[in-house]
Structures are given as structure tokens and as C-alpha cells.
Amino acid sequence: MASGAVTWRGAVRRPGLGAALPLVLSTLGLLGLAAGLTRLGTAPERPLPWLLGVLALLLLGVLGIRAAAQGEGRAARFLPAALTGLLAVLAVEVLLRAYGVPAGLIPTPSRVLVALWEARTVLLQDTFSTFVLEALLGFVVGALIGLILALLVVRFRFLERGLLPYAALFSSVPIVALAPVVVKALGLEWPSKMVVVAITVLFPVVVNAVRGLQAAQPLHLDLLHTYAASPSQTFRNVRVPTALPFVFNALKVGSTLALISAIVAEFFGTTGHGLGFRIQIEVGRFNLAVVWAAIVLASVVGLAFFGLISVLERRFAPVPENS
Amino acid sequence: MLVVLVVAVLLYLPLMLWANVGPASRALASGADLGCPNAIACATQLRNPVLPAPGQLVQGFRSLSVPPTAPTSAPYNAVVTGGETLLGLVLATGLGLVLAALLVLSRSFERATLPWLVASQTVPIVAIAPMLAVLLGQYGVQGFLPKALIAAYIAFFPVAVGMSRGLRSPDALQLDLMRTYSASPGRVFVQLRLPASLPYLFTALKVAVTAALVGSIVAEISTISFSGLGKMLAENSRASDTIALWVIMAYGAVLGVGLVALVGLLERVVTPWRAGR
């Protein structure tokens, strides 16, 4: 982002109380509509007025969010997204009820919440095997092997010519095509999914880490040469810091890929654990509230994983202001 | 590159034998009649090998590729999947460009939606795919389009992020120059920001096309579909036809590489001034 002082529209305005009023009105209004529909019991005969009401309230909410997003404070950075999410969920709840969409097609957010609570033990067990055993372990293994390979590739020119083109080639291969083969070869237990995840994470890490390790500027290298720095000092002080942003970029990509490939791999056979297994089996029973609950859990875990890596990135490879 | 290929091929044979001897000897010990004298000989002709023997692979390729236009052949299904992927990529690019422009033009829009765009990427789309297909089918959208939409969902994010980075890439000096020309914001956008973003767009598109391919294959696996590589994967996985899975995986790899090459070709045509790189 640009330095922040100069925005597209010019001057920076102060955040005001003008944001709070429309937001409170919009939220209360949507809650009121939902409560009205609950009292009504069934879906209304003519849903159009409800739709118009929701749209008007959303417009009011958007105005409030716009006002809340002005300024530079912590609140201005985090509140708008949270409010957008809240309003969207409320609006979906009201619209689904107003149009009487059957729960077998799309369950309302409140039903999903209830399902999340009622099936919490099973879902948490599933999350444990999918996230901790498969995604996280596979991610760590894949990233470590990838980093070691990248170091070898940078160290030996022969490998750079011989191995790197294949790594680039393999990173454009659809990983899901790999999953059934690996699961068939290694069995239904969780290690087979861990291997799929590791392979998925491996190639982006290799390609990006090599690019990063080679991105050091000749000027910096020359400077260290004039300091009579040893190769290992040069490596530690120049090459590793330049490579870190590239590596973290690959790790971020890998973190989302890891969860997705763990779930896909579970589609090809499990021993009865895991979010992928749960989703597949509950879709078959049209028990969509549980399916969405599993998706919500997977997203929360995935987002936390992504956030963790972002925190590590900010700690070890801070992004310069102007990028 | 060639040396590594030769080494890999030479290593493959012993690796294949080592991986297959175990299951082969177990099958022999259980008294199954495999039609071969000992475990080593059986390792090359298992029906469900851990790693298929070269001869089996060649045979699998032949039986899945001839004739190439049959609805059960891998080339035909690869073309179907490729078509879905490209349609998905076009949709993703359109959505990504609009989002990128909004992200760059309005900071409140960025603050309100960017976290959700990131979150949308951690949602396991594979989980949504079957429901999305049912849902779209309910409202009369069937066939090609649902899969392309799922592919687009998975691919729009790299485009939006790359493009917004590209739209921000002109530096202060260039923006100041445009101001001295008293150019309107619209002109700055069209004449400076848009051309400057093209290299970023194509880098993003190469990532997006791979993602879209994954999306369309996953969509085929998890929805009721009658053609495409994903459907072949699901079918053969159910039938435990390991050799076919290997062949389909190879076709998927070729398709992925081909699609990335296609984007590269497009890049050369659209931004010829960067062709030297």
C-alpha cells in the first residue's frame, strides 16, 4: 500500500460518531426482521418487501462501514471487516428465511451454529486428525524438505540445471490428481494424506526459496566481499534475509494448499476420521448444517494457520513500507 | 536436465521392484494364482501395483488413449477439463479485475472486504463444491458452468491480489508527471496504472490457471459429472485401477503444463516489450 498519507480521494478525514448510528440501526433492523420472521413461523407469502427491507438496511450499514473505515486507528483497520461479516451473516439469515429456502439446500447461519455446537466432539476430533496430523505435520515435513532441497540447488549448479526445471514443472501439476495414487499406494491411514500435503507444499517452497536465495543484489555481495566476509557470513547476513520474504510467501500459499489437499485426499479413502470424510458422508445424508459447520471449522483453522505464518513473517521478515 | 531424467528412469526400476515385491510375495503366500513363478517376476505384473511397471504404464496409456475421441478416453476428458478451466479462468479474471480496481480506488472497500477475500481462500472449496453443484442445479445451471464457476472461485484471488499490486506499481514520480499533465483520475487509470499492471497480471494468471485446473478437477470429483479428468479419477479410484490413475495423473500434469504455457504465449503476444525475459 502507498504510504497512507495520500489517498486516492485526497485528504484523510477523522473517524466520527457518524459511523455508529447507521451501523447500530442497520444491525438492530436486521435482527428485528429475523425476529419478525421467527414470530411469523413460516416463510411469508410475498418475500419482496423483506428483500427490499434487507437491501435498505444493508445500504445503511455500508454507509456506516464507509465512515468507520476512515482514519488510521486500530479500530479503523479491524472493525470494518468484522462489521461487514456480521451484517452479511444477518442478511443471509433473513433472506433465507424470507424466501423459505429448505435446509436441505442452504441451512440458515443459525442452524449451522446450532449444528456446530451439537456435533462439537465429533467435529473437533475430525479437525484434530485433518489439521494437526495431516495438514500441519505434512506442511512442516514438506517445507523442511523443500528448504533443504533449495539449499542444495543453490549450492550445486548441477542440481540447479537438473532439478529446478522439474520442480517448476511439478508445481503446475494439479495436486488433486496425485491424491488417489498416493492414497492407494500408502493406505487409508493418516500418513498417506500427510504425504500428499507434504508433496503439495514442497514445490512452491523449493521454487520460491531458490528464487529468494538468488535474489541477493550483486552490490551487497561485493560489499561483503570487500569486508573479507567468509561465505558462511555472507550467507547468514545477505542471502538468508533476502530469501526470507520469498520463503514466507511460499509458506503462506502452502498453508492454504495444505488444508485443501488434506481434505481432498480424504475424499479418496479414510478410516472414518477427518473433516473431508465428515463432509462427504454428511452431504450424502443431506445433513448440510453439519457440512457447513465442518466448513466453518476448517476455515477458522485455516485462517488461524495463515495468521500464524503472517505473524511469524512480520517477526522475521518485516515488509518494507513501500511494497 | 536430461541427466537427471536418465538417472530417475534408471532408479525407477529397482524402486518399483522394491515397492512391489512385498505385496507380490504376500499375494503368493496367500495362495493366489498370479501366473508367475516368484515374487520378483510377479512384481512387474501385479493388478494393483504400488508403482506400476513401465510395460504396464505403456499398456495403460494405450488402452486409455486410443481412440482419442471416445468419451471414455483420457485425451477427450482432458480437453473437457481444459475447457472448463479456461472458462473458469476467464470468469476469474473478470471478477479479479473488478475487485482489484475497487481495492485500489477505495480504501474503505479494501478495509471492509480484504480480510474476507483472504478468508475465502482458506475455505476448503472442495467441501463447498458438491453443495454448490446441487444448488446451481436447483436453479437450472447445469453441465459446464458449475464446474467453471468453482474453478473461478478458486482462481479469482491470485488475480485480484496480483492485479491490485500491479495497479499500485507506478511510482510517485510517474503519478506526479501525470498530474503535471493535469490528467483526470480516469486517464491516469487507463493510461498509466493499467499498462503498468500487465506484467503483474500475467504472473498472477499463471498461478491462477493452475488453481483453476485444481478447481475444475475437484469439482468433477465431487459433483455428478459425466466427463472430465476428475470424473475419471473418481471412477478409477473406486474401481481400484491403479495404473489408470497413474495415466490420468500424467494427463493432468501435461494439461497443467500446457495451460501455463498457453498463458505464457498470451503474455508474449500482449506484452511484447517484455518478451526478452
Side-chain angles (χ1 to χ4, degrees):
Chain A
M1 204 192 312
S3 52
V6 183
T7 62
W8 185 260
R9 295 185 189 284
V12 178
R13 270 182 289 160
R14 294 275 106 199
L17 271 177
L21 191 64
L23 279 171
V24 170
L25 277 181
S26 168
T27 314
L28 287 182
L30 285 171
L31 280 175
L33 286 185
L37 282 168
T38 312
R39 178 167 297 184
L40 211 60
T42 55
E45 301 235 321
R46 285 183 309 140
L48 193 65
W50 297 89
L51 174 67
L52 292 179
V54 168
L55 285 182
L57 287 170
L58 275 185
L59 200 66
L60 198 64
V62 168
L63 287 179
I65 288 171
R66 250 189 74 111
Q70 308 296 326
E72 287 301 325
R74 256 182 114 74
R77 235 167 282 151
F78 292 111
L79 267 183
L83 291 169
T84 311
L86 177 70
L87 290 183
V89 167
L90 284 176
V92 166
E93 174 88 33
V94 173
L95 285 181
L96 285 180
R97 287 197 196 181
Y99 279 86
V101 178
L105 206 51
I106 318 174
T108 58
S110 56
R111 272 175 194 271
V112 174
L113 267 182
V114 171
L116 192 59
W117 180 248
E118 280 173 353
R120 60 189 182 280
T121 8
V122 177
L123 284 175
L124 281 179
Q125 275 170 2
D126 287 339
T127 312
F128 177 77
S129 58
T130 299
F131 178 64
V132 179
L133 292 182
E134 295 168 13
L136 199 60
L137 215 55
F139 178 84
V140 171
V141 169
L144 280 183
I145 296 178
L147 287 178
I148 292 169
L149 272 183
L151 288 178
L152 288 176
V153 164
V154 173
R155 178 71 186 73
F156 301 105
R157 274 201 79 75
F158 167 73
L159 286 179
E160 188 188 336
R161 298 227 188 103
L163 214 56
L164 203 57
Y166 290 110
L169 206 68
F170 271 101
S171 61
S172 58
V173 165
I175 38 120
V176 284
L178 199 83
V181 175
V182 175
V183 173
K184 279 277 177 306
L186 296 181
L188 301 180
E189 294 289 330
W190 60 267
S192 63
K193 285 93 189 175
M194 195 205 83
V195 169
V196 174
V197 172
I199 295 173
T200 316
V201 176
L202 178 69
F203 292 109
V205 170
V206 173
V207 172
N208 280 295
V210 169
R211 202 181 294 157
L213 285 171
Q214 289 174 340
Q217 289 190 5
L219 199 67
H220 292 167
L221 294 177
D222 281 349
L223 185 66
L224 279 201
H225 194 67
T226 62
Y227 291 162
S230 68
S232 68
Q233 279 176 323
T234 313
F235 190 81
R236 220 176 28 242
N237 294 321
V238 178
R239 291 208 186 262
V240 169
T242 15
L244 276 182
F246 289 83
V247 172
F248 272 110
N249 209 2
L251 291 184
K252 275 181 176 170
V253 173
S255 72
T256 55
L257 280 181
L259 207 61
I260 290 180
S261 33
I263 290 177
V264 174
E266 281 173 6
F267 283 2
F268 289 102
T270 53
T271 48
H273 297 289
L275 290 171
F277 169 79
R278 192 69 49 204
I279 286 165
Q280 213 186 17
I281 205 155
E282 297 293 346
V283 163
R285 291 183 194 152
F286 282 93
N287 200 353
L288 291 189
V290 175
V291 176
W292 279 103
I295 290 173
V296 167
L297 258 184
S299 313
V300 168
V301 170
L303 210 56
F305 193 15
F306 189 88
L308 178 73
I309 292 173
S310 305
V311 168
L312 287 178
E313 180 182 26
R314 230 169 295 148
R315 169 77 183 73
F316 291 108
V319 186
E321 261 310 295
N322 58 354
S323 66
Chain B
M1 209 174 162
L2 265 179
V3 177
V4 172
L5 186 67
V6 170
V7 170
V9 168
L10 286 182
L11 277 180
Y12 183 79
L13 264 174
L15 191 69
M16 181 270 294
L17 284 177
W18 174 75
N20 289 345
V21 159
S25 57
R26 242 175 291 137
L28 279 180
S30 71
D33 182 22
L34 298 177
C36 44
N38 53 35
I40 298 279
C42 286
T44 57
Q45 37 188 295
L46 281 178
R47 217 177 61 77
N48 284 318
V50 180
L51 288 176
Q56 290 179 310
L57 272 183
V58 170
Q59 204 162 24
F61 260 108
R62 202 177 299 145
S63 66
L64 275 178
S65 311
V66 181
T69 50
T72 51
S73 79
Y76 169 83
N77 284 300
V79 169
V80 171
T81 304
E84 287 165 9
T85 306
L86 285 180
L87 183 58
L89 188 68
V90 170
L91 294 175
T93 311
L95 180 63
L97 292 184
V98 171
L99 280 177
L102 286 173
L103 284 176
V104 173
L105 292 179
S106 159
R107 203 164 49 126
S108 12
F109 182 81
E110 183 187 329
R111 285 188 169 168
T113 56
L114 193 59
W116 296 110
L117 292 183
V118 175
S120 80
Q121 292 309 292
T122 67
V123 173
I125 177 62
V126 291
I128 300 190
M131 279 175 293
L132 212 57
V134 171
L135 195 68
L136 290 169
Q138 190 77 19
Y139 294 105
V141 184
Q142 270 168 353
F144 229 54
L145 201 57
K147 288 160 218 158
L149 281 177
I150 291 163
Y153 175 92
I154 221 169
F156 84 90
F157 184 71
V159 179
V161 169
M163 190 66 189
S164 64
R165 197 171 294 162
L167 287 174
R168 288 205 176 94
S169 66
D171 53 32
L173 204 66
Q174 290 165 312
L175 289 171
D176 279 347
L177 185 65
M178 289 305 267
R179 189 171 299 168
T180 62
Y181 294 157
S182 69
S184 66
R187 282 198 85 115
V188 174
F189 194 86
V190 172
Q191 295 194 332
L192 177 61
R193 287 183 187 265
L194 221 46
S197 69
L198 281 180
Y200 292 82
L201 175 65
F202 279 106
T203 312
L205 277 183
K206 281 181 195 160
V207 178
V209 73
T210 326
L213 181 56
V214 172
S216 49
I217 291 182
V218 166
E220 287 163 359
I221 291 175
S222 48
T223 64
I224 305 155
S225 58
F226 302 101
S227 52
L229 288 179
K231 170 232 148 202
M232 290 189 83
L233 277 178
E235 257 183 8
N236 287 303
S237 169
R238 236 170 278 136
S240 288
D241 190 346
T242 320
I243 298 163
L245 287 179
W246 279 85
V247 173
I248 299 162
M249 186 173 79
Y251 268 103
V254 171
L255 184 60
V257 174
L259 286 172
V260 172
L262 194 67
V263 174
L265 195 70
L266 194 67
E267 178 176 20
R268 274 168 180 266
V269 173
V270 176
T271 58
W273 62 91
R274 284 173 51 86
R277 304 220 187 159

